[in-house]
Amino acid sequence: MSCVALFHSLSVEESSTTLMDREGRMICLKDIVPAAENNINTRFIVLDKGRKISEGQNKTCLALVADETASVHFQFWGDECDAFEPGDIIHLASGIFSYNRNNNLVLRAGRRGAIKKVGEFTMVFVETPNMSEISWVPDPDRPNKYMQDSVISSHSRIFPPLP
C-alpha cells in the first residue's frame, strides 16, 4: 500500500483533526526535507528509543521511527519521552525536520506541532534510507530550500541494525 493510500485510510475522526501539507496531503518520510517551517504531517512507527537526557528543566530523548518509505531520528521533548514506546504508531501534525542543539538532523513536533498515538505494532516499515543520515545542501535553484547531497550512512548510526 502506498503512503497516499495508507494515509487516505485514516478514519474520519483522525482526518478531520489532521493538518495537511500545503497541497492537502500527508507526507511520506522519504519526502521530508530540512526546513525552518512546521509543515510536516505524517504517520510512523517507533522502532527504538534512546535514553532520556536532561538539560536543566528540559528532558529530551531520540527515537528511530519509520514508515514504508524511510526512517528518521525523532526527538521527543518533556512528557513525550515517557508517553511513547517502541511499537507505538504516531501521527505527527505540523512537525519540523531541522537540526537540533547537537547539530543532528531530527524530525520533531516543535512548539507548533503535535503528536498523537494512533495505534501500535502493525505497520509496514523500512529502516533505509534514514533521512537523518543524509547530507543536505542548499538548492541553487530555490532559495531557502535544501536538496540531498550524499548519504552519510546507509543505516542509523545512533540506532545500529541488529547483527
Side-chain angles (χ1 to χ4, degrees), residues 20 30 56 80 92 109 111 113:
M20 303 298 175
K30 73 173 180 58
E80 295 171 353
L92 170 66
R111 291 189 177 125

Side-chain angles (χ1 to χ4, degrees), residues 40-93:
I40 297 173
N41 304 289
T42 190
R43 190 163 108 163
F44 50 77
I45 187 167
V46 178
L47 302 180
D48 200 355
K49 192 168 90 170
R51 64 181 174 81
K52 296 173 203 148
I53 299 170
S54 294
E55 298 174 7
Q57 291 182 314
N58 297 322
K59 178 174 51 172
T60 65
C61 62
L62 280 181
L64 179 64
V65 303
D67 69 7
E68 69 177 31
T69 65
S71 66
V72 69
H73 298 141
F74 188 88
Q75 186 169 37
F76 290 109
W77 285 85
D79 294 338
E80 295 171 353
C81 292
D82 297 319
F84 301 97
E85 295 297 327
D88 287 349
I89 298 170
I90 296 174
H91 174 230
L92 170 66

Side-chain angles (χ1 to χ4, degrees), residues 72-157:
V72 69
H73 298 141
F74 188 88
Q75 186 169 37
F76 290 109
W77 285 85
D79 294 338
E80 295 171 353
C81 292
D82 297 319
F84 301 97
E85 295 297 327
D88 287 349
I89 298 170
I90 296 174
H91 174 230
L92 170 66
S94 299
I96 185 169
F97 185 48
S98 63
Y99 292 92
N100 66 9
R101 291 181 187 162
N102 298 326
N103 208 29
N104 295 317
L105 195 54
V106 297
L107 180 61
R108 62 184 184 266
R111 291 189 177 125
R112 295 186 184 116
I115 56 175
K116 176 183 175 184
K117 181 177 174 180
V118 295
E120 52 188 31
F121 298 117
T122 53
M123 183 172 174
V124 174
F125 66 88
V126 297
E127 292 187 55
T128 58
N130 183 306
M131 303 307 286
S132 296
E133 300 289 353
I134 293 174
S135 173
W136 298 83
V137 295
D139 186 336
D141 299 327
R142 299 180 317 174
N144 301 323
K145 300 292 180 188
Y146 287 87
M147 56 189 254
Q148 293 183 13
D149 180 41
S150 61
V151 174
I152 299 168
S153 176
S154 62
H155 61 274
S156 170
R157 293 175 293 161

